[in-house]
């Protein structure tokens, strides 16, 4: 089976690179982007992913992202996040990279995560470039001022369409991909560039590609192992197999909490965004 194959690939590798996408956080109630019912498929919403909209409609931009930040702050890590954090305990060199902006890998106590697209848990000033923990929804909606310089140019610390990735983080991700023996794509459609290039870069350097995603991806044909399934189900099975074969009785586990199912939680987030958008229109 593919679970056993992936476990064996992880066991044999010293350097593992992981790139995660929106599918990893779906079970935490965070909407995905491009699949059926995803965030960017909702009419009138995708414009707020653009740097051009920030310049054209700063008030609407702030309102939209303030609502998103409120949802992110209360979201909890799911078993997929905790499985990746455990992988870092099991193997000597695991680099976690993510396209997600929800900070949930860190909530699962993963370390050294490269946040390629930034984080909604942080804000930054468009004037002095200071970065600080995100302000509350009411403050952002009122155009709250930067605590460092006082400018009313506070925005989420995320990378929008039309903006470049942080060069330091991008270079670290490329280095991790090039030096990896196994490269795991998890919960991502592998269509957003330049992040999607990382898997190709790893394969070109001889890494084994592993893909775990609910839907097929354009890179499936390059992979040594592919599982089309829920990341919150598949990743824990792989880690459990690795720990049992290594004779490890117990690893630190996630807190026992009742998480909403992906199917139940995601519509609530989308519904709140839809209500917000209807008020704007």
């Amino acid at each position: 089976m593919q679970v056993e194959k992936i476990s064996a690939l992880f066991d044999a590798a010293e350097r593992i690179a992981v790139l995660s996408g929106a599918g990893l956080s779906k079970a935490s109630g965070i909407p995905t982007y491009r699949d059926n019912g995803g965030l960017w498929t909702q009419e009138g919403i995708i414009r707020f992913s653009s740097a051009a909209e920030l310049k054209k409609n700063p008030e609407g931009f702030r309102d939209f992202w303030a609502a998103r930040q409120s949802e992110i702050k209360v979201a909890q890590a799911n078993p997929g996040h905790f499985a990746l954090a455990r992988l870092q305990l099991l193997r000597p060199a695991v680099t976690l990279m993510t396209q997600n902006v929800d900070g949930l890998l860190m909530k699962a106590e993963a370390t050294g995560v490269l946040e390629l697209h930034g984080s909604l848990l942080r804000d930054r000033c468009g004037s002095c470039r200071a970065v600080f923990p995100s302000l509350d929804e009411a403050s952002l909606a009122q155009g709250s001022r930067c605590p460092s310089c006082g400018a009313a140019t506070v925005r989420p610390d995320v990378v929008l369409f039309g903006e470049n990735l942080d060069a330091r983080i991008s270079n670290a991700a490329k280095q991790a991909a090039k030096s990896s023996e196994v490269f795991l794509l998890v919960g991502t459609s592998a269509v957003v560039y330049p992040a999607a290039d990382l898997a190709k870069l790893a394969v070109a350097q001889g890494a084994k590609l592993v893909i775990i995603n609910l839907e097929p991806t354009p890179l499936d044909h390059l992979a040594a192992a592919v599982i089309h399934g829920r990341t919150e189900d598949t990743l824990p099975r792989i880690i459990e197999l690795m720990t049992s074969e290594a004779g490890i009785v117990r690893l630190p586990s996630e807190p026992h909490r009742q998480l909403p199912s992906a199917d139940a939680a995601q519509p609530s987030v989308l519904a709140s965004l839809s209500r917000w958008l209807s008020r704007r229109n």
Side-chain angles (χ1 to χ4, degrees):
M1 292 176 61
Q2 294 292 285
V3 167
E4 285 79 4
K5 184 174 184 179
I6 295 171
S7 175
L9 288 171
F10 285 169
D11 275 330
E14 290 192 2
R15 295 180 301 280
I16 300 171
V18 180
L19 175 61
S20 60
L24 179 65
S25 295
K26 186 175 182 180
S28 297
I30 307 298
T32 55
Y33 292 93
R34 290 171 177 78
D35 62 0
N36 186 30
L39 190 62
W40 299 148
T41 67
Q42 307 301 302
E43 185 177 357
I45 287 183
I46 193 170
R47 70 181 187 271
F48 295 110
S49 67
S50 168
E53 188 68 19
L54 172 59
K55 296 178 180 179
K56 183 174 67 175
N57 181 14
E59 180 182 356
F61 180 92
R62 282 197 305 267
D63 288 351
F64 171 79
W65 286 106
R68 283 276 287 151
Q69 285 177 311
S70 294
E71 299 282 1
I72 294 295
K73 287 177 180 178
V74 299
Q76 299 297 326
N78 68 58
H81 298 107
F82 285 104
L84 291 179
R86 292 175 187 173
L87 181 62
Q88 289 187 312
L89 299 177
L90 289 169
R91 304 307 303 138
V94 176
T95 300
L96 300 182
M97 305 171 283
T98 187
Q99 297 169 298
N100 297 339
V101 294
D102 51 42
L104 291 181
L105 279 168
M106 280 71 79
K107 285 188 177 182
E109 299 187 3
T111 60
V113 179
L114 299 177
E115 296 176 299
L116 300 177
H117 295 161
S119 174
L120 281 175
L121 298 179
R122 300 187 300 268
D123 288 327
R124 76 169 183 261
C125 176
S127 297
C128 72
R129 311 296 292 177
V131 177
F132 40 88
S134 62
L135 302 175
D136 59 78
E137 183 174 353
S139 297
L140 267 181
Q142 295 170 8
S144 187
R145 295 184 176 275
C146 171
S148 295
C149 73
T153 54
V154 174
R155 54 159 288 182
D157 186 29
V158 297
V159 179
L160 303 171
F161 292 130
E163 296 181 328
N164 294 323
L165 302 185
D166 180 284
R168 179 184 59 83
I169 294 176
S170 178
N171 290 336
K174 290 176 183 177
Q175 184 56 44
K178 287 194 292 186
S179 63
S180 65
E181 297 170 42
V182 174
F183 190 98
L184 169 62
L185 274 177
V186 57
T188 175
S189 58
V191 297
V192 177
Y193 289 83
D197 274 332
L198 294 170
K200 295 180 180 179
L201 179 61
V203 171
Q205 297 295 317
K208 300 290 186 182
L209 178 61
V210 173
I211 297 176
I212 301 173
N213 194 53
L214 197 57
E215 305 291 340
T217 81
L219 301 183
D220 283 6
H221 67 286
L222 297 177
V226 178
I227 294 179
H228 294 145
R230 296 177 184 270
T231 59
E232 67 271 20
D233 297 332
T234 305
L235 286 170
R237 288 169 55 205
I238 294 169
I239 300 305
E240 182 180 356
L241 184 59
M242 291 176 68
T243 56
S244 63
E245 291 184 347
I248 299 174
V249 176
R250 181 180 179 274
L251 279 173
S253 60
E254 66 271 20
H256 294 288
R257 58 169 65 93
Q258 185 64 41
L259 287 170
S261 69
D263 293 335
Q266 183 170 331
S268 67
V269 178
L270 290 177
S272 65
L273 289 173
S274 296
R275 288 194 297 271
W276 171 86
L277 190 59
S278 66
R279 293 197 300 269
R280 297 292 305 173
N281 293 335

